[in-house]
């Protein structure tokens, strides 16, 4: 779904036209254009074994390093960095090093997540560990993370940028650790599942906006509101991702149908269902915690039970509430009008349950 936001709220609450506001897809294309070359230059500095795996993961070449044009993802997070810099009154170009750093951290987490989860497909291709082995993928992920801290030092606010990025990575790792721990537990609560998602996904989107604000010269108050916008948006994005992990179209997600149920992930819709106190929730718990692998019929039934227990309804409502909270914090930041309209367009795209 393409979102075209051509208006932004005026001080009196009415929608005021903002000239030359780009659609969300145009913003993502612009961001990719600024990001692609410096990202490739950064990855080119890696040792050959890590560079080979990283370039494959980014979709630049195949297993034999023959150039291809595979899906490299939307690059939403770098776009948030660049727009947050403009929202703060700065220039997007000054925030490119931070955008590169955020994209490197994001892809480090994807490479490692695929190893941890045992996922064999991402973006309609074999995952990096499937193509090169677990050890090679882990080392490539480590290399991307290290490279992110090198990238962020190339901006004008290196010391603070490293601090913000470092805190984000710690939150991300804490969230990922909790996600793995949940798979071994039968007593996961909804509140702690939300905290996990805040770390796993919300932290990096919040960091993207915080770094953009920093490199754009934002005041502390404006930066805090932009960071909160990103954090709320990140959590909404995770809920949408969890919905797609159960009911998403494989042609869109690049993963098999019911992929999260197959691995028995304690995603937000599942936990909402398991803690619902309903008969459907009780049946889901019995099915989810059985020893044998779930059959195709079991997976279909599990998806039905999540819906019957209210997990899908809760998740849809949560996305709407989180998006509203994110946009409230965006407005509180008093951003530059064009950047505000484009950030809102990106937010609505990220929270689109059909993306």
């Amino acid at each position: 779904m393409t979102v075209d936001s051509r208006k932004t709220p005026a001080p009196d609450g009415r929608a005021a036209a903002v000239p030359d506001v780009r659609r969300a897809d145009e913003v993502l294309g612009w961001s990719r254009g600024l990001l692609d070359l410096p990202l490739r230059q950064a990855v080119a500095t890696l040792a050959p074994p890590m560079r080979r795996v990283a370039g494959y993961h980014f979709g630049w070449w195949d297993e034999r390093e023959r150039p291809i044009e595979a899906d490299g993802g939307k690059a939403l997070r770098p776009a948030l960095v660049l727009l947050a810099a403009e929202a703060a009154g700065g220039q997007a170009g000054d925030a490119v090093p931070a955008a590169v750093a955020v994209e490197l951290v994001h892809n480090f987490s994807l490479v490692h997540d695929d190893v941890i989860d045992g996922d064999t497909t991402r973006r309609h291709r074999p995952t990096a560990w499937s193509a090169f082995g677990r050890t090679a993928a882990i080392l490539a992920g480590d290399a991307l993370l290290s490279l992110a801290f090198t990238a962020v030092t190339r901006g004008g606010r290196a010391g603070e940028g490293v601090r913000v990025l470092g805190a984000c990575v710690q939150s991300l790792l804490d969230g990922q650790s909790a996600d793995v721990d949940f798979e071994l537990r039968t007593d996961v609560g909804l509140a702690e599942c939300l905290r996990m998602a805040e770390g796993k996904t919300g932290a990096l989107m919040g960091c993207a906006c915080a770094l953009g604000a920093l490199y754009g010269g934002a005041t502390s108050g404006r930066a805090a509101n932009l960071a909160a916008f990103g954090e709320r948006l990140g959590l909404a994005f995770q809920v949408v991702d969890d919905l797609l992990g159960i009911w998403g179209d494989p042609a869109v997600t690049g993963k098999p149908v019911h992929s999260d149920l197959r691995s028995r992930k304690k995603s937000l819709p599942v936990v909402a269902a398991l803690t619902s106190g309903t008969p459907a929730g009780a049946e889901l718990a019995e099915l989810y915690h059985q020893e044998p692998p779930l059959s195709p019929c079991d997976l279909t039934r599990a998806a039905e039970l999540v819906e019957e227990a209210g997990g899908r309804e809760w998740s849809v409502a949560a996305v709407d509430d989180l998006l509203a909270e994110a946009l409230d914090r965006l407005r509180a930041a008093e951003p530059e009008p064009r950047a505000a309209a484009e950030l809102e367009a990106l937010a609505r795209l990220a929270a689109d349950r059909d993306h």
Side-chain angles (χ1 to χ4, degrees), residues 68-93:
I68 60 172
E69 292 185 6
D71 180 11
K74 293 184 177 69
L76 173 64
R77 292 155 188 83
L80 291 175
V81 175
L82 300 175
L83 282 182
E86 292 190 342
Q91 300 296 316

Side-chain angles (χ1 to χ4, degrees), residues 2-157:
T2 297
V3 179
D4 186 357
S5 177
R6 300 284 171 175
K7 296 181 178 180
T8 193
D12 61 2
R14 293 178 298 175
V18 178
D20 302 322
V21 175
R22 296 164 294 187
R23 299 188 310 269
D25 61 322
E26 293 172 331
V27 170
L28 291 172
W30 161 76
S31 171
R32 176 61 74 184
L34 290 176
L35 179 74
D36 188 63
L37 180 59
L39 181 62
R40 286 176 180 264
Q41 290 173 334
V43 171
T45 66
L46 297 176
M50 275 67 80
R51 183 175 66 240
R52 180 186 180 198
V53 178
Y56 171 87
H57 169 78
F58 280 114
W60 300 338
W61 50 69
D62 66 11
E63 295 92 329
R64 298 182 182 180
E65 296 189 71
R66 296 174 297 196
I68 60 172
E69 292 185 6
D71 180 11
K74 293 184 177 69
L76 173 64
R77 292 155 188 83
L80 291 175
V81 175
L82 300 175
L83 282 182
E86 292 190 342
Q91 300 296 316
D94 294 336
V96 167
V100 171
V102 165
E103 184 71 348
L104 288 167
V105 169
H106 175 54
N107 283 278
F108 137 76
S109 73
L110 296 183
V111 171
H112 279 199
D113 281 358
D114 288 340
V115 174
I116 292 168
D117 296 339
D119 287 341
T120 58
T121 304
R122 178 174 292 280
R123 299 169 184 157
H124 312 285
R125 303 171 70 215
T127 51
W129 77 265
S130 297
F132 298 97
R134 293 179 184 273
T135 300
I138 291 169
L139 291 172
D142 292 344
L144 292 176
L145 178 59
S146 174
L147 198 57
F149 285 93
T150 300
V152 81
T153 62
R154 293 185 176 133
R157 305 293 295 272

Side-chain angles (χ1 to χ4, degrees), residues 241-262:
D241 193 61
D242 287 351
L243 286 166
L244 294 174
I246 300 176
W247 295 285
D249 180 355
V252 176
T253 65
K255 292 187 176 184
V257 67
H258 299 153
S259 59
D260 282 358
L261 297 178
R262 184 175 288 103

